[in-house]
Amino acid sequence: MFTRVDHIGIACRDLDRTVEHYRSVFGFEVCHVEVNEGQGVREAMLRVNGTDDGGATYLQLLEPISPDSTVARWIERHGEGVHHIAFGSPDVHAVVEDLRGHGPRVLFDPPQRASMGSTATFLHPKDCHGVLTEVVTSAGEDRSSGVRADDLPTA
């Protein structure tokens, strides 16, 4: 079902300052930056390492671009810090099907286009011991029944 920890999402108030922290303290470099209007965030992906399945593990830094975005509301309630964990899978659509009978509520069904052209969905934190959990298939990795990330709406 899962092949790796794809990324850890970290909510922050100031993306540039947070990127500089992870760069100067840990040596992580930014490999991708984008604005996701659908989720109301500006994000940076910092590659931590490669994985045996050809994917990678990242830190995803998320700065809200509007005060009513989900991440902005989360920061107001919890402060800056870990927002979610994402597990990589070669077929996010199959994972959604597998999970239907196991209880976790799927928040984007069908999965949607997400960071770096990936396909993703989230599982409700109340069904995952308080952890917002993302399931993601990297761009070019999707082995599902022909659904391509480019054909999906932006999350």
Side-chain angles (χ1 to χ4, degrees):
M1 182 183 293
F2 300 128
T3 58
R4 68 185 175 283
V5 172
D6 187 84
H7 66 271
I8 307 294
I10 299 172
C12 61
R13 289 185 175 90
D14 183 330
L15 186 66
D16 297 327
R17 186 174 54 86
T18 307
V19 163
E20 183 51 35
H21 168 78
Y22 282 96
R23 181 178 315 182
S24 66
V25 174
F26 302 110
F28 298 147
E29 293 297 328
V30 174
C31 64
H32 181 81
V33 176
E34 72 179 83
V35 173
N36 184 325
E37 296 285 343
Q39 291 188 9
V41 295
R42 184 170 72 112
E43 64 180 70
M45 298 294 275
L46 289 71
R47 189 170 191 264
V48 176
N49 68 324
T51 62
D52 291 344
D53 66 354
T57 301
Y58 301 91
L59 291 181
Q60 178 187 44
L61 306 179
L62 302 159
E63 174 191 59
I65 58 173
S66 66
D68 61 338
S69 73
T70 302
V71 172
R73 291 191 308 267
W74 190 90
I75 289 173
E76 287 305 311
R77 284 193 308 272
H78 305 285
E80 295 181 297
V82 174
H83 179 262
H84 67 274
I85 185 168
F87 295 107
S89 170
D91 188 348
V92 67
H93 303 281
V95 172
V96 168
E97 289 303 315
D98 286 346
L99 291 175
R100 285 191 205 284
H102 297 285
R105 286 171 278 179
V106 176
L107 300 180
F108 298 147
D109 190 5
Q112 299 179 351
R113 189 166 44 94
S115 300
M116 300 191 307
S118 64
T119 307
T121 191
F122 286 89
L123 308 177
H124 200 289
K126 288 185 179 176
D127 302 329
C128 297
H129 299 276
V131 178
L132 179 61
T133 303
E134 184 177 7
V135 180
V136 62
T137 297
S138 299
E141 180 186 28
D142 195 342
R143 298 184 193 127
S144 67
S145 59
V147 177
R148 296 188 34 183
D150 292 343
D151 299 330
L152 297 169
T154 302

